[in-house]
Amino acid sequence: MTWRVRREADLEALFRHSAFPSKISIINPSFSVKFQSLAAMTVIVPEPVLEESCNGESVKERQIDGKIDLSGEFTVPDSNAFGHSFRDYEKESERKAGVEEFYRVNHINQTYAFAKRKKEEYGRLEKAEMSIWECIELLNEFVDESDPDLDEPQIEHLLQSAEAIRRDYPDEDWLHLTALIHDLGKVLLHPSFGGEPQWCVVGDTFPLGCAFDESIVHHQYFKQNPDYADPVLSTRLGVYTENCGLDKVTISWGHDEYMYLVMKGNEVRLPPAAFFIVRFHSFYALHRSGAYQYLMNDEDKEMLKWLKIFNKYDLYSKSKVRVNVEEVKPYYMSLINKYFPDKLRW
Ligand SMILES: O[C@H]1[C@H](O)[C@@H](O)[C@H](O)[C@@H](O)[C@H]1O
Ligand SMILES: [Fe+2]
Ligand SMILES: [Fe+2]
């Protein structure tokens, strides 16, 4: 497998956007001397994707309230590992049909009553007792069926996003760890958790108890959701009040809310922004489309800034480039020990 790069500028961009530049090397080192020293390293060769260019937009929003001054630069790639733009749910691809079927089933079955019931059931944290790393290893076998951009096991995605954010925000260790753990709730798929079906574990999330916003992926399938025609649940505010705060909102059930409950129910020393990121990272209608602002309070608006930063790394670090787990494990273990108890109730 080879990244086909024609111009030196593209190679440069590849280095910049890769979470693991030290693992990239050049098969045919006909580029400038600048890169020749790297030619001795291992060749990473994901599927041919990068043909013409990978000129992406640079991430500039690196200051929050002027508190952090960050160096480094993350370049958003033009295309995902399949050569398509990210989050393109209409584009014909090997993943399209499966992803659409996922959302059809998800949208029909995620109701207000269902999500409240699941939250109640899993919120008791009676399913397992294990460490963060044990949980990470359980995700080795799962591929997310809702994701048009990635078909790698989830452990790869966790490490890819954590390593990418670590490069650009070297001093924010809590953010590296947040990336590492943000999708651990997908452990609900594991047989020891009852092997929940994908439709109630992964995919974008959205509020229940009020109208479904049209910006939600494959919105058309909500027509078959019982809440769609409900006289209260189908209104703009539904069961909520203006600016009540997202904490009061019942969000569709899945890995985000579950991992948030696990963090809340154990002695986790991460900052509030980490909890917010984990809980709402799949809520694209909010953080990408700007919908449902009327449910947010002032604190949510502050936290949203962090979520938007995080999202770039969560989404655009998805690639075929594998991380060497053993190499990075000691660093992440030190963070786990700093912020989490040895064993957690799940
Ligand atoms: O398909 C993906 C995947 O399930 C992610 O974990 C989730 O956070 C995204 O929102 C979703 O679109
Ligand atoms: Fe996720
Ligand atoms: Fe993710």
Side-chain angles (χ1 to χ4, degrees):
M1 295 187 294
T2 311
W3 287 87
R4 281 190 266 149
V5 177
R6 293 202 189 117
R7 294 176 307 147
E8 199 176 294
D10 297 338
L11 184 61
E12 234 161 357
L14 174 61
F15 272 85
R16 261 186 286 120
H17 102 249
S18 165
F20 323 104
S22 66
K23 301 218 174 49
I24 297 181
S25 68
I26 304 153
I27 311 173
N28 174 5
S30 57
F31 292 108
S32 81
V33 193
K34 203 158 61 169
F35 295 111
Q36 299 243 343
S37 60
L38 292 155
M41 295 178 196
T42 339
V43 178
I44 326 190
V45 250
E47 288 299 332
V49 180
L50 205 66
E51 291 261 273
E52 287 301 327
S53 88
C54 75
N55 300 330
E57 142 214 354
S58 282
V59 178
K60 294 272 182 249
E61 313 142 65
R62 40 191 69 260
Q63 284 223 315
I64 295 187
D65 296 334
K67 280 190 209 125
I68 42 174
D69 177 21
L70 299 149
S71 50
E73 189 173 293
F74 182 77
T75 303
V76 174
D78 273 350
S79 56
N80 66 16
F82 305 98
H84 307 136
S85 23
F86 283 84
R87 289 180 61 80
D88 186 342
Y89 292 87
E90 298 308 326
K91 180 89 188 162
E92 268 322 316
S93 79
E94 56 194 86
R95 298 205 42 87
K96 180 176 184 283
V99 171
E100 182 161 349
E101 175 58 13
F102 164 89
Y103 276 110
R104 191 185 67 80
V105 180
N106 169 282
H107 288 0
I108 294 173
N109 291 292
Q110 289 276 359
T111 63
Y112 181 50
F114 171 80
K116 283 209 302 190
R117 200 167 62 240
K118 283 290 182 192
K119 199 168 155 176
E120 224 279 300
E121 177 193 340
Y122 280 101
R124 284 183 251 147
L125 306 180
E126 291 170 346
K127 302 286 175 194
E129 205 172 281
M130 64 181 161
S131 68
I132 290 290
W133 198 265
E134 281 169 328
C135 185
I136 290 175
E137 285 180 337
L138 286 183
L139 291 185
N140 213 355
E141 60 190 86
F142 297 113
V143 172
D144 184 328
E145 289 173 9
S146 72
D147 201 334
D149 303 315
L150 190 70
D151 60 359
E152 294 292 314
Q154 282 300 301
I155 189 169
E156 296 299 326
H157 167 57
L158 294 178
L159 293 165
Q160 287 173 344
S161 51
E163 285 287 280
I165 212 160
R166 178 182 172 194
R167 280 188 65 210
D168 282 3
Y169 293 77
D171 301 327
E172 311 291 319
D173 68 354
W174 65 272
L175 204 49
H176 316 164
L177 184 57
T178 303
L180 184 79
I181 57 128
H182 76 282
D183 273 339
L184 285 190
K186 291 181 186 175
V187 75
L188 290 171
L189 296 168
H190 198 273
S192 59
F193 283 76
E196 292 280 7
Q198 295 248 352
W199 68 262
C200 67
V201 177
V202 300
D204 288 3
T205 57
F206 39 84
L208 294 162
C210 61
F212 299 111
D213 190 83
E214 288 194 359
S215 64
I216 302 167
V217 173
H218 290 305
H219 173 270
Q220 70 273 20
Y221 293 119
F222 285 125
K223 293 200 177 99
Q224 295 167 62
N225 182 308
D227 292 357
Y228 187 83
D230 184 281
V232 176
L233 308 181
S234 62
T235 60
R236 175 177 171 274
L237 278 175
V239 298
Y240 308 113
T241 53
E242 200 83 26
N243 302 116
C244 60
L246 294 178
D247 187 46
K248 295 217 170 52
V249 174
T250 299
I251 203 98
S252 52
W253 177 250
H255 65 284
D256 307 52
E257 184 69 18
Y258 177 54
M259 191 56 197
Y260 166 75
L261 292 176
V262 170
M263 288 167 72
K264 208 173 74 158
N266 288 280
E267 275 166 39
V268 176
R269 297 175 283 275
L270 284 163
F275 285 74
F276 189 89
I277 288 171
V278 168
R279 194 176 194 185
F280 299 115
H281 74 269
S282 302
F283 191 178
Y284 275 79
L286 179 94
H287 63 71
R288 190 149 278 223
S289 310
Y292 296 108
Q293 298 205 19
Y294 56 89
L295 296 177
M296 292 169 81
N297 60 23
D298 290 344
E299 199 189 325
D300 295 329
K301 285 174 193 158
E302 276 308 300
M303 294 287 140
L304 187 62
K305 295 176 188 169
W306 281 112
L307 179 54
K308 285 186 171 180
I309 289 181
F310 171 83
N311 176 248
K312 295 214 164 67
Y313 297 86
D314 182 15
L315 180 59
Y316 298 113
S317 67
K318 289 174 183 173
S319 80
K320 297 273 178 191
V321 182
R322 295 245 168 163
V323 185
N324 182 333
V325 183
E326 290 315 312
E327 220 168 78
V328 297
K329 187 175 170 186
Y331 174 67
Y332 289 106
M333 282 310 295
S334 73
L335 300 188
I336 292 169
N337 293 335
K338 179 170 171 188
Y339 292 104
F340 280 98
D342 287 350
K343 294 273 178 195
L344 288 85
R345 297 197 308 121
W346 298 78

